[in-house]
Amino acid sequence: GRPNAMQEIRPLVAVDIIEQLHRQFAILSGGRGKDGAPIITFPEFAGFSDIPDDDFLNVVTYLTSIPSLEAASIGFIIIIDRRRDKWSAVKASLTRIAGAFPGNLQLVFVLRPSRFIQRAIADIGIKLYRDDFKMKVPIIMLNSVSDLHGYIDKSQLTRELGGTLEYGHSQWIHHRTAIENFAMTVKTTAQMLQTFGTDLAETELPNDVQCTEELLSAHTDHHSKLKDELKLAVKQGATLLTCIREPVTRSANCKLSSDELENVATVERLLAQLDETEKAFDQFWTKHHLKLEQCLQLRHFEHDFREVKLALDNLMEAQAGFADIGDSVTRVEHLLREQKQLEEKGQEPLEKAQSLAVHGEQLIQNNHYAVDSIRPKCVELRRICDDFTNETKKKYDILGKSLELHKQLDKASQWCEAGIYLLASQAVDKCQSQEGAETALVEIEKFLVTAKEHQLSNPKEILQKLEDVQEMFDKRQVSLKKLAAKQMRPVQPVAPHPESSPKRASPKITRPAGVAVGKHCDSPPFLSSSHIINELIETERVYVEELQSIIEGYASEMDNPNLLHLIPSALQNKKEILFGNLPEIYEFHNRHVGTSGWPAPSGKEDLQIYEKYCQNKPRSEALWRQCGDSIFFQECQRKLDHKLSLDAYLLKPVQRITKYQLLLKEMLKCSKNSEGTAELEEALATMLDIIKSVNDAMHQIAITGYEGDVSELGKLLMQGSFNVWTDHKKGHNKVKDLARFKPMQRHLFLYAKMLLFCKKREENTDGHEKTASYSFKNSLKMSTVGITENVKGDNKKFEIWYNGREEVYIIQASSVELKNTWISEIRKVLTGQLEACRGRTQRLCLTTWSWNKLLCCPISPGKSDLLCEDQLGGCSITGIETLVLIKENVLEFQKWHKL
């Protein structure tokens, strides 16, 4: 039967009409006319008139769809063989073909019935009914196949028609079925690869080792199966190609028919398509597999990092507990042994940390995608290792000094005890004689020689004890010297005791008092306020003079009739482009500089002339590059006796605006907390704002490809370059574009009404420095967007989305500070829209429709998302703000609804 609507979308294939094809009432033998027209033959078929119309139409439609478009456009040649039939069969055949043939006809050959009577009837019938057949092409009646050979070469006709063309109907059906099956295989394989690639692209990378290993294994297995399917498909195509070429392979004299050659071309094209698909898939798989392997490497690295970091933290904590430096030789030696044990215990985690850091650096060198995550961990590991090593060295140094000190203290203490014992052991009665006194003096002097070996700088108690013992010896020496000098009368002998040493207050060990530091003045700055003011005055005068010389020596000379012949044609009538509003800048400064040379106060509006000048600067530079070497400029420079060419002076206004803000900063440094500081700060803020506006304007004028007017988008609030990823719910990409591992580089322009996404392009111009332009790529209305401030895994990322997150733009700033600045600015825009919305709701009565729209607004309290759904007049509101708005107006709504 006739295919239904769904089947008509798909072209007919041999399997669909296999039974009708086997009946062989029409064949496409592969023969061609002299001009390459395909030949369709209607062999003798007894039941031709009984063939259902649908079957006839399907077979003829299928046969006409097989030749190439080029061959089909020439037109088909039809051969109707009715040599054994009657005129009625000829008539029926022509009528059916004329009414149902779907292709473009060129000629119709009819082999008329061979019997005499039927041939005569046919001759008469063709004359009488030719117009009834409604064919616009010639119908040639032939008496025999010999007559047919006069029109078509024998090599293009089958044996049944007296030709030499080899044709087997069963083999032809087999080839057609095989080719169409192979085409379906190629299509199915491509769809399988597409589906698998899409699944891979949408797969979220796991956060642990086990899940990553399982995912890598699953994806690898699936990839292997698909590769096997590809190999089978390629093998199927190669086998089919061999079968089609088999007659040529079997016999060198044999040639393929035109249809067979087209079959070969079709199979080769399908094999090429399969090869291209496989290459695209392999390219994507290589990137994805690398990403998974790097993800697994990262998860192993992170797991090892956590273990090593924990061990190092415990090690550092144990080391921090070693605060004791010991109070004796024995204690210090025990502490040294414990420190040695800790050092040996720490060798294994330290070696693991160093090895892990080296591994991390190797990952970075191998272009790992998570460099920003790996590098800080490597730095952290090396820092902790260095801290432990340095702290260990410091501990050994301190304990070594403590051990040495305690050993010296012990020796000093022993010396003191020995000295006291020596003094106590000298009998007083023996010292009463000169000989006894001299002997005691010799003992004391020998002992005192060893005192230098025990001189210490710390601590004070030992010093005091040493001083006391030294004083005891000094007094004893004085006494003994007196006794040795003259004979003294006997005295009652009393043995001295150590306790008889001079009484002194025990020194208290106190922390040294801090040294009082008097007030001091900072070293004078490189430039004082007066120096800066003098420089500003002097440079302002020079600046005005330079502007005047440029205007008079160059701009005015362009109107000098005597120099017109020197001005190149490209420069004529373009003075305003070359100089911009330089005369306006000159008039402003010349008007505001008084007799003292000090520039009068200026507001932001006054200095916006610089913004206008900078906006024209690219056009000016382009014109200068084109005409800068002309004789006209050389002559003007010679007259002015300028050492620099004009383009250097045209940069002066740009340099001047920068100079102002530098001088203001220097003045602020020299005027802290003094009168006029607030005014200086305000002036600096104005100047920085002007510079920002100039910079933004320079970027804005470089936008290309935007069809609207950027001046209608409101004020340019921010602009800058970011990494951008997209995550859209709709749309399908090709296999080779299934995922972007690398982000898009986009330059964003934030306006009050619109956010523009542009691609930065830099071009070299005639050997000069690169000129940046921004090619417009996409835009989002600020009244339709929402933001998500934090993206898991990267604190420098945030999201901008709209329409229920149907399109999500993941944006990565170069720093957390830049991200926060942008989020703050976007919030200001959205908050401003909300305030405007609130103002309208206070003035307007909400209708039932608007209330329904309000109550249906998606509300997600507690999330950091801003919902901006063009609701309530295009206002941007959060879920919480919506609840507040409903609560504030619910009573009025209830009253209105009752009415």
Side-chain angles (χ1 to χ4, degrees):
R2 182 179 294 275
N4 59 35
M6 291 299 293
Q7 291 175 328
E8 288 178 350
I9 297 174
R10 177 176 64 84
L12 279 172
V13 293
V15 176
D16 297 336
I17 54 172
I18 193 71
E19 293 181 4
Q20 293 91 321
L21 288 175
H22 274 297
R23 297 177 70 180
Q24 201 172 346
F25 59 82
I27 64 171
L28 184 71
S29 62
R32 297 292 172 93
K34 294 179 181 180
D35 58 354
I39 299 173
I40 294 179
T41 304
F42 289 86
E44 290 182 320
F45 190 84
F48 185 83
S49 60
D50 298 328
I51 298 171
D53 290 340
D54 286 345
D55 290 355
F56 177 84
L57 180 61
N58 285 340
V59 169
V60 175
T61 300
Y62 177 71
L63 293 180
T64 55
S65 69
I66 294 174
S68 65
L69 292 176
E70 181 181 358
S73 65
I74 299 172
F76 287 85
I77 295 175
I78 292 179
I79 300 176
I80 303 172
D81 186 2
R82 294 294 180 265
R83 287 175 290 176
R84 298 179 185 177
D85 220 325
K86 300 178 181 180
W87 159 246
S88 58
V90 174
K91 180 181 177 183
S93 300
L94 289 172
T95 301
R96 173 168 275 186
I97 293 170
F101 191 82
N104 180 24
L105 281 174
Q106 185 186 97
L107 280 174
V108 176
F109 292 103
V110 179
L111 286 170
R112 71 181 74 190
S114 58
R115 284 178 293 178
F116 178 79
I117 296 175
Q118 292 299 324
R119 180 178 296 181
I121 294 172
D123 290 339
I124 297 170
I126 195 67
K127 294 177 181 179
L128 294 175
Y129 296 100
R130 181 182 295 273
D131 294 334
D132 293 345
F133 297 140
K134 298 179 181 178
M135 288 189 179
K136 297 180 180 179
V137 297
I139 300 174
I140 301 175
M141 304 295 290
L142 303 173
N143 292 325
S144 66
V145 293
S146 299
D147 295 341
L148 180 63
H149 297 164
Y151 294 93
I152 300 174
D153 192 88
K154 286 185 179 182
S155 64
Q156 302 301 315
L157 297 173
T158 61
R159 294 186 182 275
E160 289 77 6
L161 298 176
T164 60
L165 179 65
E166 294 290 339
Y167 175 78
H169 192 61
S170 297
Q171 185 184 47
W172 181 88
I173 293 176
H174 175 71
H175 283 177
R176 290 307 309 168
T177 306
I179 290 171
E180 289 164 359
N181 284 341
F182 179 58
M184 183 58 66
T185 300
V186 172
K187 181 180 179 181
T188 304
T189 303
Q191 289 174 344
M192 290 167 57
L193 297 180
Q194 176 78 24
T195 302
F196 180 57
T198 302
D199 292 340
L200 297 187
E202 294 175 354
T203 300
E204 185 175 355
L205 296 179
N207 293 322
D208 60 272
V209 173
Q210 182 179 351
C211 292
T212 306
E213 288 176 341
E214 291 173 355
L215 183 64
L216 180 59
S217 176
H219 283 188
T220 302
D221 291 343
H222 198 168
H223 170 260
S224 299
K225 292 178 181 178
L226 287 176
K227 289 291 287 185
D228 291 340
E229 294 286 340
L230 274 169
K231 290 179 181 177
L232 287 174
V234 172
K235 185 177 180 181
Q236 178 186 350
T239 303
L240 178 56
L241 200 59
T242 302
C243 290
I244 297 173
R245 289 172 171 168
E246 192 270 338
V248 178
T249 307
R250 188 176 63 248
S251 173
N253 296 327
C254 183
K255 292 183 180 181
L256 296 179
S257 68
S258 299
D259 285 357
E260 289 173 329
L261 290 173
E262 287 186 357
N263 288 344
V264 169
T266 299
V267 175
E268 288 177 341
R269 184 178 71 253
L270 290 171
L271 283 171
Q273 181 181 343
L274 201 60
D275 182 65
E276 182 181 355
T277 302
E278 184 177 13
K279 287 179 180 178
F281 175 72
D282 287 344
Q283 183 180 8
F284 170 73
W285 169 253
T286 300
K287 292 180 180 179
H288 179 75
H289 188 255
L290 176 62
K291 187 70 176 290
L292 284 180
E293 286 186 331
Q294 288 187 343
C295 178
L296 183 59
Q297 292 170 348
L298 178 63
R299 299 302 174 240
H300 277 299
F301 179 83
E302 291 172 341
H303 177 266
D304 295 341
F305 175 80
R306 286 191 291 270
E307 290 186 347
V308 172
K309 180 70 163 53
L310 180 62
L312 291 178
D313 289 343
N314 293 336
L315 198 64
M316 294 297 291
E317 185 178 356
Q319 189 181 62
F322 279 75
D324 190 8
I325 61 173
D327 55 2
S328 66
V329 172
T330 304
R331 176 62 180 164
V332 175
E333 288 175 344
H334 175 71
L335 291 175
L336 283 169
R337 286 193 296 272
E338 288 186 341
Q339 183 63 39
K340 184 66 175 177
Q341 292 174 356
L342 180 64
E343 184 182 21
E344 291 173 353
K345 180 183 177 182
Q347 284 306 307
E348 183 178 354
L350 286 175
E351 289 174 0
K352 286 184 177 179
Q354 294 287 1
S355 176
L356 188 59
V358 170
H359 177 57
E361 290 169 353
Q362 289 174 347
L363 294 179
I364 294 173
Q365 291 176 358
N366 292 334
N367 299 319
H368 197 285
Y369 71 87
V371 173
D372 293 341
S373 174
I374 297 172
R375 181 174 283 117
K377 291 181 174 62
C378 295
V379 174
E380 177 73 0
L381 290 173
R382 294 198 183 278
R383 183 191 64 77
I384 296 176
C385 291
D386 291 342
D387 288 350
F388 180 82
T389 302
N390 294 335
E391 195 64 23
T392 299
K393 184 178 179 181
K394 191 184 297 182
K395 292 283 186 184
Y396 274 123
D397 186 53
I398 293 173
L399 289 175
K401 291 180 179 178
S402 177
L403 180 63
E404 182 64 25
L405 177 62
H406 281 294
K407 286 181 178 179
Q408 291 184 18
L409 289 176
D410 285 351
K411 289 180 181 180
S413 180
Q414 292 171 5
W415 183 83
C416 291
E417 294 296 330
I420 293 172
Y421 178 80
L422 176 61
L423 294 178
S425 64
Q426 289 181 339
V428 177
D429 56 339
K430 291 182 180 180
C431 295
Q432 299 300 315
S433 64
Q434 184 176 1
E435 182 180 356
E438 290 176 348
T439 301
L441 275 174
V442 171
E443 292 175 348
I444 289 173
E445 288 172 356
K446 287 182 178 180
F447 188 82
L448 288 176
V449 170
T450 62
K452 294 182 178 179
E453 300 174 9
H454 307 288
Q455 293 298 317
L456 301 174
S457 58
N458 275 308
K460 290 185 177 180
E461 288 184 344
I462 299 300
L463 283 174
Q464 190 63 61
K465 188 171 184 180
L466 287 170
E467 289 175 2
D468 291 345
V469 173
Q470 183 72 41
E471 187 176 352
M472 290 168 62
F473 273 94
D474 290 341
K475 290 184 177 180
R476 177 66 63 86
Q477 276 184 312
V478 172
S479 299
L480 290 175
K481 285 179 180 179
K482 289 180 180 178
L483 290 173
K486 58 180 181 179
Q487 185 65 35
M488 300 290 293
R489 62 186 181 89
V491 296
Q492 185 68 26
V494 179
H497 295 283
E499 290 78 12
S500 62
S501 61
K503 302 295 181 182
R504 291 181 180 269
S506 297
K508 297 180 180 179
I509 302 175
T510 59
R511 188 179 301 274
V515 179
V517 179
K519 293 182 179 180
H520 63 281
C521 297
D522 292 335
S523 58
F526 177 75
L527 290 174
S528 65
S529 296
S530 59
H531 286 149
I532 296 170
I533 293 172
N534 289 336
E535 181 182 354
L536 179 59
I537 293 172
E538 183 58 33
T539 56
E540 187 72 9
R541 284 175 174 163
V542 173
Y543 178 51
V544 172
E545 291 173 0
E546 288 177 339
L547 294 179
Q548 183 180 6
S549 68
I550 295 304
I551 292 170
E552 294 178 354
Y554 285 99
S556 298
E557 289 296 291
M558 290 183 69
D559 299 326
N560 188 345
N562 298 327
L563 297 177
L564 283 178
H565 64 285
L566 299 178
I567 300 176
S569 58
L571 185 62
Q572 291 179 1
N573 301 320
K574 294 183 180 178
K575 181 168 66 174
E576 291 74 13
I577 295 177
L578 182 63
F579 296 97
N581 63 329
L582 192 69
E584 185 181 4
I585 295 176
Y586 166 70
E587 291 297 333
F588 169 76
H589 284 275
N590 190 45
R591 184 171 63 251
H592 285 72
V593 174
T595 55
S596 63
W598 173 253
S602 304
K604 178 180 177 180
E605 295 76 10
D606 296 324
L607 294 175
Q608 283 179 342
I609 54 176
Y610 281 94
E611 183 175 341
K612 180 179 178 182
Y613 183 81
C614 291
Q615 286 177 341
N616 179 69
K617 198 69 177 69
R619 299 173 64 205
S620 173
E621 290 176 349
L623 185 59
W624 173 259
R625 286 193 294 269
Q626 186 179 0
C627 310
D629 56 353
S630 70
I631 300 175
F632 170 76
F633 291 119
Q634 296 175 10
E635 180 63 20
C636 293
Q637 183 178 349
R638 185 188 63 78
K639 289 181 179 179
L640 291 170
D641 196 23
H642 281 179
K643 295 180 180 179
L644 300 176
S645 58
L646 173 62
D647 60 328
Y649 289 94
L650 292 176
L651 281 173
K652 292 290 184 178
V654 181
Q655 297 167 345
R656 191 60 184 172
I657 199 73
T658 306
K659 180 74 171 179
Y660 285 143
Q661 59 110 355
L662 293 175
L663 291 175
L664 285 170
K665 286 180 179 179
E666 290 296 330
M667 290 181 71
L668 269 175
K669 289 180 183 179
C670 301
S671 307
K672 285 293 183 182
N673 302 322
S674 62
E675 185 178 356
T677 301
E679 288 79 1
L680 284 173
E681 290 176 344
E682 182 181 355
L684 179 58
T686 299
M687 193 58 62
L688 292 175
D689 192 21
I690 286 292
I691 292 175
K692 180 182 181 300
S693 298
V694 168
N695 187 43
D696 288 347
M698 294 294 285
H699 285 278
Q700 179 175 274
I701 63 174
I703 297 175
T704 62
Y706 180 70
E707 295 182 356
D709 186 355
V710 293
S711 63
E712 297 177 356
L713 301 182
K715 181 181 179 183
L716 177 59
L717 305 174
M718 300 284 288
Q719 55 84 20
S721 295
F722 297 88
N723 292 332
V724 178
W725 294 262
T726 58
D727 184 9
H728 299 345
K729 290 184 178 179
K730 63 181 181 179
H732 300 283
N733 297 326
K734 295 181 180 178
V735 175
K736 52 188 174 184
D737 297 325
L738 288 173
R740 286 184 179 270
F741 293 128
K742 293 184 179 180
M744 297 180 289
Q745 305 297 320
R746 291 292 181 263
H747 201 90
L748 272 57
F749 292 85
L750 175 62
Y751 294 89
K753 297 180 181 179
M754 192 84 76
L755 177 64
L756 301 187
F757 290 78
C758 299
K759 184 174 183 180
K760 186 176 182 180
R761 304 182 187 277
E762 292 184 340
E763 300 177 354
N764 287 322
T765 54
D766 301 332
H768 293 75
E769 62 182 9
K770 292 182 177 180
T771 302
S773 64
Y774 302 97
S775 177
F776 171 76
K777 293 295 181 183
N778 194 14
S779 64
L780 297 176
K781 290 183 179 180
M782 292 306 294
S783 62
T784 64
V785 303
I787 61 171
T788 302
E789 293 185 17
N790 298 308
V791 176
K792 184 178 180 181
D794 193 337
N795 59 0
K796 293 185 289 187
K797 288 182 179 178
F798 63 97
E799 291 180 346
I800 296 180
W801 46 267
Y802 82 99
N803 198 15
R805 297 183 68 86
E806 185 173 296
E807 290 191 15
V808 179
Y809 297 84
I810 303 168
I811 298 173
Q812 183 187 51
S814 58
S815 66
V816 177
E817 293 76 15
L818 180 60
K819 165 196 163 182
N820 292 336
T821 302
W822 271 75
I823 287 178
S824 175
E825 205 60 44
I826 293 173
R827 277 192 168 277
K828 287 179 183 178
V829 174
L830 302 185
T831 304
Q833 294 175 350
L834 176 60
E835 294 299 329
C837 174
R838 281 179 166 173
R840 287 196 295 272
T841 58
Q842 290 173 359
R843 295 190 303 268
L844 299 176
C845 178
L846 294 173
T847 64
T848 302
W849 175 84
S850 63
W851 269 95
N852 288 334
K853 192 176 182 185
L854 173 61
L855 294 173
C856 291
C857 179
I859 302 171
S860 303
K863 288 191 176 182
S864 61
D865 291 1
L866 274 178
L867 305 177
C868 311
E869 297 288 348
D870 255 350
Q871 301 184 34
L872 290 174
C875 295
S876 308
I877 56 175
T878 64
I880 295 175
E881 294 289 354
T882 304
L883 290 174
V884 172
L885 197 59
I886 293 172
K887 184 177 178 181
E888 291 175 350
N889 293 277
V890 71
L891 293 177
E892 276 199 40
F893 168 69
Q894 291 173 346
K895 292 178 183 179
W896 180 88
H897 200 271
K898 288 178 181 179
L899 293 174

